[in-house]
Amino acid sequence: MSIKSKDLYLYSSTDIEDILDKIQPLSPKALVVDSIQTVYLSAFAGSAGNQVQVKECTSALLSFAKMTNIPVFLIGHVTKTGDIAGPRVLEHIVDVVLYMEGERCLSHRLLRSAKNRFGSTDELGVFEMSEHGLQAVLNPSEMFLTEHDSDSEILAGLAVAVVLDGSRTFAIEVQALSVPGSLGQGKVVGTKSKRVEMIISVLMKQAGLKLQDNVIYLNVVSGFELSETAGDLAIAASICSR
């Protein structure tokens, strides 16, 4: 990863008091604890990861950050639903909560802010994993669009939505496929299925499309979660073109 600095220190310990004792003489630019669910304070009962330990360890690290003016980053486990594992008290104590999202088979990651006491949460960071680590993506729309020849028949079922996430504008590709079958048996990835069902109903009623005998599959490219209503037109256009 081309890390040439000699001031990067790694220390293996789960005792918060031991960790803080080792850090204070170094006075680092930042401290990263991985993970908050695996550390403990011997003065409190219970195993690492329970509500008391998570609360007290986080409070100890918060006090350390305020006294030394050293930023502390806490890595937290997440559940299958994407929420921080364990008690919600962790989110209440810290100043900022960031989520790193991304598909396992893709190289890019989205960094979202769920809480920020000192600023906006309406910003989105896009990064790509390279041989030198995570690198910022300057033009993320290139990642959300697949390459196609403009004269190709494969363009049927594709539409592009321009959406606003925070202060950044993204061009997001929406893909739709219609095959014979019973309506409602399809799969929707990247947006809410109820919203797609509503758009399909509007197309059937107002545009006269006979979709009741078709299974609709819809996908938003690159794992982006399409929540803005500006994407409705792209969803409708991709379904119509199939």
Side-chain angles (χ1 to χ4, degrees), residues 221-237:
V221 170
S222 297
F224 191 92
E225 190 67 27
L226 186 58
S227 58
E228 190 178 344
T229 54
D232 290 355
L233 181 59
I235 294 173

Side-chain angles (χ1 to χ4, degrees), residues 112 143 191 199 221:
R112 295 183 183 275
M143 303 175 61
T191 190
I199 294 172
V221 170

